Amino acid sequence: MATAATLPVVGPGARDLLRRAGVLSPVLAVLALLLVPGGGGGAEGGTGGTGTVADAASGLLVLVCLVRVARGGARPLTRTAAVVLGLPVLGICLAAITSNDPASSLPGVARYVQVFVLVPAAVLLTVRDRRDFAVVAWALVGLALLQGAVGVAQYLTGTGASYQGEDIRAVGTFGATDVMGMATVVSYGLVVVTGIALGSGPGRARTAALVCAGLLFLPLVLSFSRGAWIATVFACALQLLLAGPRRAARVALAAGALGVVLVGGLGIGSDLVEERVTSITRVTAAPDQSVTDRYTMWAAAGEMWRAEPVTGVGLKGFPRYRDAHASVALSSGSDTAGAGAGFRRQPLLSPHNMYLLVLSEQGLVGLLALVGSWTALLVGALRRRGGTGADTGFGPGSGPGADCALVATGLLVWQLVDFFYADIGGPSTVLMAVVFGLAAWWSLVGARRA
C-alpha cells in the first residue's frame, strides 16, 4: 500500500492556479479558440466578420456569467460600472431606430453590444481579483507567442500573406483576409509584458516578461502593420513614463538594443521595414494606394456625418452610402493573397478608423457615448495606478505576477490609438472585447480590492 510520503502532492500554489483556471475557463476558451484558423472570410471591417468559434465562445462566456449572477455566485455590476459599460447602448440603439433600413442594422446592433457591452461586462464579473487578472493576462501573452511563432515561420518559409509580390507577411492563423489579426494579438502581448517588466512584481516575473518581449518584437515587425507599430509605441511610451525614469531607461535601452540586433544586425526584413516606416510620413507626397484609399474613405465618412450629424446614416450603413460620398480616387478594393488562400479582391467596406466609422453610422450621439465610456475607463485606470499594493498578481512562490495598473492602462491606450487606423471586424475583434473587460475590471473594481 502506498504511504502518504509516496503519494503525489499538488502544492497550494498549483491547486490555486487550477481552481482559478476552472473559474476563468470561459474567458480562457475565447483566447484559445482564436488559434483556430479563420478561413477565408470574416475580415470585412465595420460590423462584419461575426460567426467564428471564438465568437461562439464569447456568447457562452456571457451565458455562463448570467447564470452565475442569477444564482448569486457572482457580484453584480456596481451602478458606476453599469453606467460606464452601458453608455454605448444609447448611441447604438438610437442609430438603429433612426436608420433608413432598421432591419439591416440589427446585425450591427448585436455586434456592437457584444464587443463593447456584454463581453466586457462578463469578463469584469468573471475576474475576481488581481491573481485572476494575472492568469488572463499571461494567457493573452501565451496566445501572442503562439500566433507570433506562426507568423515568423510564415515569413521565413514564404507562406505568409502577400506583401509587395512576396508571400512573406506574418499573419498567424488569421489568414490573408485579416492581416491585422496577428499584429493586434502580438501587440496586446507586447503591451502586457512591458507592463509586467516595468511593474513591481517578483523578479522572475519581470525576467520572463523581458524574454517574452524579445520574442514578440520580431513578429510585430514582420506583420508590416503601420497602425499596430504606432499604437504599440504610444502605449509602451506611456507605460515607461508611468513606471518612472530609472526603470524606464533600462527597459528602453534593452528594447533599443534588441531592435538593432534583430532588424539592423541580422538584417531581418530591414529593407521592407524601412520602406514601410517611411511610408507612414508619405501622406501627401507619393502616397501608396492603401494610404490614398484610407484618406478617401475618411473623407467619405465625414461627408456621411455632415448629412446626418446627430444619429448618422445607420449601423452597417457605411458600405451602402460609400460610393455616393467617396471621390474617384477610391479604388474598388484591396488585393489579398497568400497564407493558404488564393488571390482575392477585398472590398473596402469601412473607413478603417473606428471614430469615423461610429461618427458616420451613429452620429455625434453614438460617438460621444462610445468615447465617453472609453474615456471613463482610461481616467479610472490612470487615477488608480498607484493603488497596486504589494499583491501585483501571483504572490511569491506561486508564479509570476502582473502589475495590473500598467497592463490595463497600456492595453486601453493601445486600443484607443489603434482605433485611428482600424475598426472592428474580423476574428480578432472578440479579443478586443476581452481586453476592454480586463481594463474595465481594473478601472472600475480591481484597484479597490486587496
Side-chain angles (χ1 to χ4, degrees):
M1 179 180 295
T3 63
T6 61
L7 292 174
V9 177
V10 179
R15 286 198 299 269
D16 178 70
L17 181 59
L18 291 173
R19 179 177 58 82
R20 291 180 184 277
V23 173
L24 297 170
S25 58
V27 181
L28 300 179
V30 175
L31 302 183
L33 290 174
L34 281 166
L35 291 169
V36 177
E44 296 177 344
T47 52
T50 59
T52 67
V53 290
D55 282 302
S58 74
L60 181 61
L61 164 64
V62 173
L63 181 62
V64 169
C65 187
L66 287 175
V67 171
R68 287 176 178 173
V69 170
R71 296 177 59 184
R75 186 190 59 80
L77 294 173
T78 64
R79 183 178 303 175
T80 300
V83 170
V84 171
L85 292 178
L87 188 59
V89 176
L90 173 64
I92 295 168
C93 292
L94 185 61
I97 293 171
T98 59
S99 171
N100 292 328
D101 188 0
S104 67
S105 295
L106 289 179
V109 173
R111 187 61 158 168
Y112 274 97
V113 172
Q114 172 205 11
V115 174
F116 297 118
V117 181
L118 293 180
V119 175
V123 173
L124 184 151
L125 289 169
T126 303
V127 174
R128 299 160 303 171
D129 53 34
R130 293 172 187 166
R131 296 186 181 184
D132 279 359
F133 185 103
V135 171
V136 179
W138 278 109
L140 181 57
V141 174
L143 172 65
L145 289 170
L146 291 172
Q147 289 286 359
V150 174
V152 172
Q154 289 170 334
Y155 175 84
L156 295 176
T157 59
T159 56
S162 178
Y163 179 75
Q164 294 190 353
E166 299 180 76
D167 293 345
I168 57 173
R169 187 169 191 176
V171 292
T173 64
F174 293 99
T177 57
D178 188 15
V179 295
M180 279 293 296
M182 189 214 72
T184 299
V185 174
V186 170
S187 297
Y188 285 154
L190 190 55
V191 170
V192 169
V193 294
T194 300
I196 298 172
L198 293 170
S200 54
R204 286 179 299 173
R206 296 199 300 272
T207 301
L210 286 173
V211 172
C212 291
L215 295 173
L216 291 173
F217 177 81
L218 184 57
L220 178 61
V221 170
L222 297 180
S223 71
F224 299 109
S225 174
R226 293 169 293 198
W229 293 349
I230 294 171
T232 303
V233 168
F234 269 89
C236 293
L238 178 62
Q239 289 175 312
L240 288 169
L241 290 175
L242 295 176
R246 184 180 303 175
R247 190 168 291 168
R250 290 199 300 266
V251 174
L253 287 173
L258 180 64
V260 170
V261 171
L262 289 178
V263 179
L266 299 180
I268 299 177
S270 55
D271 293 337
L272 294 172
V273 170
E274 182 181 357
E275 188 278 333
R276 194 67 166 167
V277 171
T278 305
S279 70
I280 294 174
T281 60
R282 287 203 310 264
V283 295
T284 56
D288 58 39
Q289 186 59 47
S290 66
V291 173
T292 300
D293 286 340
R294 180 160 302 188
Y295 280 91
T296 303
M297 290 189 294
W298 287 6
E303 291 293 332
M304 293 179 202
W305 171 68
R306 279 187 282 273
E308 298 286 345
V310 179
T311 58
V313 298
L315 295 174
K316 296 185 73 67
F318 184 89
R320 223 168 32 245
Y321 293 94
R322 183 200 63 184
D323 292 340
H325 294 88
S327 72
V328 295
L330 182 65
S331 66
S332 60
S334 59
D335 298 337
T336 62
F343 177 83
R344 178 181 175 183
R345 192 71 173 166
Q346 189 79 5
L348 302 174
L349 301 179
S350 74
H352 297 293
N353 179 306
M354 190 66 198
Y355 304 106
L356 290 177
L357 176 65
V358 174
L359 189 64
S360 63
E361 293 190 341
Q362 301 181 40
L364 196 58
V365 173
L367 182 65
L368 290 177
L370 265 174
V371 173
S373 175
W374 300 336
T375 302
L377 293 179
L378 182 59
V379 170
L382 289 171
R383 287 180 59 189
R384 297 180 176 93
R385 68 184 186 274
T388 57
D391 181 11
T392 59
F394 290 161
S398 59
D403 191 318
C404 305
L406 290 173
V407 169
T409 303
L411 288 173
L412 267 176
V413 170
W414 188 94
Q415 193 59 70
L416 297 183
V417 173
D418 184 68
F419 273 159
F420 284 102
Y421 306 94
D423 49 50
I424 62 174
S428 60
T429 299
V430 70
L431 181 61
M432 179 195 308
V434 174
V435 165
F436 271 117
L438 278 179
W441 180 84
W442 172 255
S443 178
L444 300 171
V445 178
R448 293 190 289 270
R449 292 194 176 182

